[in-house]
Each structure stands twice: as C-alpha cells, then as structure tokens.
C-alpha cells in the first residue's frame, strides 16, 4: 500500500509554535462538527507560540500575555493563504480525518433509543422492577457502554432470559416451577442466545440479568460479589448454576421409595440427625417425603435446637437458610404434589415477609407463627435491630406488616424458639 508524501512545507506545522494550537483547533472543530467560528486559546504560551499567533493574526502580543486567543477563521485563512489548504484540510493531511462528535452523539443516542424501544416491547415492561432496571442501566452508563461496544443486542437477550424466568409476572418462578423443575443456566443461555456459555460468571449478559433479578428482589441491593450470593439470586428465579452447590437442610423428613437417597433420609430420620440434600440428588434420585406435615424455618439455629432437644420425636422440619434454594423448592414442591402440607415461617423482617408470601403463592404454604400478634409478643421480649430495605406486604395478615412498619424493628425467629419447639413436639399441629 502506498501513501502520498506530505509536502515539506507542512514540516513547519509540526514545530513547537504550532503543535498545541493545531491540537486545540482540532478539538474545537470535532466538538462543533467543523464549524469555523469562535476562538481557540493557548494558556501560558511559549515564545514560539506567541510569535506564531502574531503571524496568524497580524497583531502584536506582548511577552507578558498569559493567554492568547486566535479566531478560527483567521487560522483557516492563514493556512489557506500560506499552504493552499484551509484548516480542515490541513488537519486532515497532518493527522487524519476529523471526527464529527455531534453526529456521533446523535447516532449513539439514536442507537440507545432504539435499544430501549426494543426491550420495552417485552411483555415484562409493565412490571415495576423491570422498568426500574431499565431506568438504572440507562442512567448509569451501562446502556451507553453496550451501544459503543456493539453489544446492544445483549439487552434483548437479557429480556428474553427474564421472560423465560419471570414470564408469569412480578414473581419469577422459572419456566417449570409448578412441576418443581429448574432451568440450568447453559440451557437457558443456549435458548436465549445460541451460546451455552453466555451466562457464565463475568459475562456482560450474566451481569445484566443478575442486576434485573436483584432489582426484582426489591431491597435495593447490588448484585452479590460472592459466588454463593450470585447462585442464590439465580435460584430465586428458578435457574440453577450448580446443582451440587444448591442444597437443603432437613430433619425427620423420611422418604417413600427404594432409592439410595430415600434410604439415607429414612436412616437420618430414624436417629433424628440433620441431613443435607443437593439438587443433583433430588433431580437424579427422586424423593417423595414421607411426612404429611412439614414445618419450614429460616435459620439453622431452629433446626439445630430441634435436633438437640426433640431428636427423632419432633415433626418434619426443613430449613431454608435464608432465601430458599432451588433444592429447597424442588423438595417441598414434590412434597406438596404428593399431598403434604407446609407450615412456613421466616424472620420478622421485610425479606422474611417476601419469603413467606412467595411460599404461600408458590406452594400453598400456611404461615407458621407469622401473625401480627406473634410479632408484637416477641418484640417485647428483647432488643431488636432496625428494619432495612423497602417494606413488604403480609397478605395472610395485613396487621403484621403494619405493626412492623410502625415499630421499625426486626425480630429474628430464634426469639420464638420455645414456642416453635413446642409446636414441633406436638404429634398434630393446626395453626
């Protein structure tokens, strides 16, 4: 490839007197779309720059001048008279074509608008969390970065993933939640993009979707940095990143069936020993819990106390350890399908209300000591930490949410431990 040699006359323009001046002119023209109006200035000019400006403008500038201004049109005329090329052509020959920043910004804005218009056609667009997610990625520069990298289609891909997970509305359940199935991330990624690795940790699509799921949770938190937190966020929507890491802690569940896992559960129940099940075990070796009534708590301290005091005489108990995992939903969904009834509770905080409300909607669970009266009685028994995050509703007992909002205090379920153990010790329980 050959290039045309620049005239030797241009060598002067590479000297000290011209370098900063032409760079300032280039910035000004790129910023204004090539408009030859206004001035450019040099602050703290050198002697060579001062002489250059005098030559261009034909006006004397003293050595004490701290700033020199040059009209763009004067510079354009000077270059044309001296070299036969105006400012735009001269800059192009010296350092390549100028950018048209206003046109670039207009094109970028058009592509941003088109990307938003496309994703707003999603059937989830009417959901508050979805709209808030879009607003945040448009405001914090994420959308602009996607557009500049040519990755704007990832926004539509993220919407497809979210539709698959949350197509039923505000509550993400996964495409097969009613049958207690879960959706592996590689399968979800291949369906949405054709690439099974599109949702592996660290990819732009994974980050987009997790930001939306964190927004859906409703507590304003950021996407967790740790692997366990990100896995839990996926599982809250019915997707599974690791079927071995997804676990559920149980006590006295028992099982019907002749599989290895069923044998383990029966042995553990016979001795009153807590037992952990993985999603992999539940998916490959189906388990039908033998218990017809299953209690569900949030904190391992409750299950540990039940194992220590009641051993194998206590009722069947499942611990969610916070937000229920995919393994937890799988086990309890299968139990309900087989005719079991769930009595469910969580901490008296906003997250606990959301967990319980989801259990009622998803599994038909009955809230267990989760009334306004239970909260008020426990609140009077000790100090509490302040409630954090946005409030949640308690549809099974509206007075509970009202009492919590009024007091502004949390109550961890360990404070109810004597009453909970009493319930678990009964052969028959009704609430």
């Amino acid at each position: 490839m050959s290039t045309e040699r620049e005239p030797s006359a241009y060598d002067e323009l590479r000297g000290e007197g011209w370098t900063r001046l032409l760079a300032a002119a280039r910035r000004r023209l790129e910023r204004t779309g090539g408009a030859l109006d206004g001035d450019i200035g040099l602050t703290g000019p050198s002697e060579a720059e001062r002489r250059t400006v005098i030559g261009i403008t034909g006006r004397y500038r003293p050595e004490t001048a701290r700033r020199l201004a040059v009209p763009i049109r004067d510079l354009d005329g000077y270059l044309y008279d001296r070299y036969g090329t105006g400012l735009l052509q001269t800059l192009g020959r010296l350092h390549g074509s100028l950018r048209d920043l206003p046109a670039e910004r207009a094109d970028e804005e058009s592509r941003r608008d088109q990307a938003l218009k496309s994703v707003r056609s999603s059937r989830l667009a009417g959901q508050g969390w979805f709209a808030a997610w879009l607003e945040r990625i448009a405001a914090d520069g994420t959308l602009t970065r996607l557009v500049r990298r040519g990755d704007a289609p990832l926004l539509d891909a993220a919407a497809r993933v979210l539709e698959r997970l949350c197509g039923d509305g505000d509550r993400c359940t996964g495409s097969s939640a009613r049958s207690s199935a879960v959706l592996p991330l590689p399968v979800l990624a291949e369906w949405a993009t054709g690439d099974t690795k599109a949702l592996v940790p660290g990819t732009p699509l994974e980050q987009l979707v997790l930001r939306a799921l964190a927004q859906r949770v409703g507590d304003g938190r950021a996407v967790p940095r740790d692997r366990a937190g990100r896995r839990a966020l996926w599982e809250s929507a019915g997707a599974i990143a690791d079927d071995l890491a997804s676990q559920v802690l149980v006590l006295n569940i028992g099982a019907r069936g002749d599989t290895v896992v069923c044998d383990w559960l029966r042995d553990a129940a016979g001795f009153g020993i807590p037992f952990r099940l993985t999603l992999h075990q539940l998916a490959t070796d189906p388990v039908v819990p033998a218990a017809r009534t299953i209690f569900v708590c949030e904190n391992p301290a409750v299950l540990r106390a039940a194992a220590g005091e009641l051993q194998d005489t206590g009722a069947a108990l499942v611990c969610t350890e916070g937000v229920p995992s995919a393994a937890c939903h799988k086990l309890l969904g299968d139990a309900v399908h087989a005719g079991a009834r769930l009595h469910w509770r969580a901490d008296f905080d906003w997250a606990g209300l959301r967990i319980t409300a989801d259990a009622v909607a998803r599994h038909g669970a009955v809230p267990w000591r989760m009334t306004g009266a239970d909260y008020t009685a426990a609140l009077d028994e000790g100090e509490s930490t302040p409630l954090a995050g946005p409030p949640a509703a308690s549809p099974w007992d509206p007075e509970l949410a009202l009492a919590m909002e009024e007091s502004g205090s949390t109550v961890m379920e360990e404070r109810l431990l004597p009453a909970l153990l009493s319930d678990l010790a009964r052969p028959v329980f009704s609430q």
Side-chain angles (χ1 to χ4, degrees):
M1 181 176 67
S2 63
T3 57
E4 181 180 353
R5 190 175 185 275
E6 295 175 357
S8 58
Y10 282 123
D11 290 344
E12 175 191 3
L13 302 182
R14 296 190 176 89
E16 178 190 347
W18 286 91
T19 302
R20 283 208 304 158
L21 186 65
L22 292 179
R26 187 181 189 92
R27 290 193 298 272
R28 172 63 181 255
L29 293 174
E30 289 183 335
R31 190 168 61 249
T32 63
L36 296 174
D37 53 16
D39 297 340
I40 54 174
L42 293 176
T43 301
S46 66
E47 177 63 17
E49 290 171 335
R50 185 179 73 88
R51 291 181 179 277
T52 297
V53 170
I54 292 174
I56 293 171
T57 62
R59 296 192 299 276
Y60 177 75
R61 308 296 174 90
E63 296 178 359
T64 57
R66 300 182 64 84
R67 186 179 186 280
L68 302 178
V70 180
I72 292 285
R73 290 196 180 277
D74 287 1
L75 178 57
D76 178 63
Y78 178 89
L79 292 172
Y80 189 83
D81 291 342
R82 185 170 179 82
Y83 301 107
T85 56
L87 178 58
L88 292 170
Q89 188 177 6
T90 300
L91 290 173
R93 289 190 177 186
L94 281 172
H95 302 297
S97 301
L98 277 71
R99 297 173 60 187
D100 186 344
L101 293 180
E104 290 180 14
R105 285 193 293 269
D107 177 66
E108 182 177 279
E109 189 64 27
S110 175
R111 288 183 286 144
R112 276 173 48 93
D113 291 344
Q114 183 58 42
L116 285 174
K117 180 180 179 181
S118 177
V119 77
R120 282 173 178 154
S121 66
S122 167
R123 66 176 182 272
L124 297 175
Q127 299 297 325
W129 62 268
F130 189 87
W133 167 65
L134 284 181
E135 183 178 346
R136 291 183 68 177
I137 63 176
D140 68 6
T142 299
L143 177 59
T144 298
R145 289 191 292 273
L146 289 173
V147 167
R148 289 177 179 174
R149 295 199 307 257
D151 285 341
L154 288 179
L155 201 57
D156 282 327
R160 289 194 296 273
V161 171
L162 293 167
E163 286 174 350
R164 184 70 175 267
L165 295 176
C166 308
D168 291 336
D170 190 59
R171 181 172 58 88
C172 293
T173 61
S175 61
S176 304
R178 289 182 177 84
S179 62
S180 304
V182 291
L183 194 59
L185 287 189
V187 174
L188 182 60
E190 198 281 332
W191 173 84
T193 69
D195 179 3
T196 59
K197 297 181 179 180
L199 289 171
V200 300
T203 60
L205 182 59
E206 185 231 20
Q207 185 69 12
L208 280 173
V209 176
L210 286 181
R211 285 188 62 179
L213 295 179
Q215 184 71 46
R216 180 194 62 86
V217 169
D219 58 7
R221 69 181 182 183
V223 174
R225 294 180 179 273
D226 61 294
R227 182 177 299 178
R230 297 168 85 89
R231 183 173 64 243
L233 198 53
W234 278 119
E235 291 184 1
S236 73
I240 180 66
D242 186 344
D243 62 358
L244 291 176
S246 180
Q247 301 179 5
V248 57
L249 179 62
V250 305
L251 177 68
N252 296 335
I253 285 292
R256 296 196 297 269
D258 297 326
T259 67
V260 172
V261 175
C262 289
D263 288 340
W264 292 342
L265 282 171
R266 282 191 291 269
D267 287 344
F271 291 97
I273 298 173
F275 191 82
R276 284 192 179 276
L277 286 165
T278 68
L279 180 61
H280 181 269
Q281 291 167 341
L282 292 169
T284 59
D285 206 355
V287 171
V288 178
R292 307 298 293 177
T293 298
I294 300 175
F295 292 84
V296 183
C297 64
E298 180 176 349
N299 296 298
V302 176
L303 186 141
R304 186 180 299 111
E309 295 192 21
L310 305 178
Q311 299 179 359
D312 63 328
T313 66
L317 181 62
V318 170
C319 180
T320 67
E321 298 182 278
V323 176
S325 66
C328 182
H329 282 306
K330 167 69 174 169
L331 176 69
L332 295 178
D334 288 346
V336 169
H337 184 72
R341 191 177 193 191
L342 307 182
H343 296 273
W344 197 299
R345 67 157 297 100
D347 289 327
F348 285 120
D349 58 14
W350 299 130
L353 296 195
R354 293 188 184 92
I355 290 171
T356 305
D358 181 71
V360 172
R362 181 182 296 210
H363 299 300
V366 177
W368 171 30
R369 293 196 181 273
M370 287 291 289
T371 67
D374 293 318
Y375 169 74
T376 302
L379 186 64
D380 294 336
E381 294 181 7
E383 295 295 325
S384 299
T385 58
L387 283 166
S394 53
W396 64 93
D397 182 3
E399 294 300 320
L400 170 58
L402 292 175
M404 289 173 58
E405 190 162 17
E406 181 179 352
S407 73
S409 298
T410 65
V411 172
M412 299 296 103
E413 65 181 353
E414 289 91 337
R415 192 176 295 178
L416 286 76
L417 195 55
L420 301 183
L421 292 177
S422 176
D423 294 339
L424 294 171
R426 301 184 203 175
V428 178
F429 177 81
S430 61
Q431 177 76 18

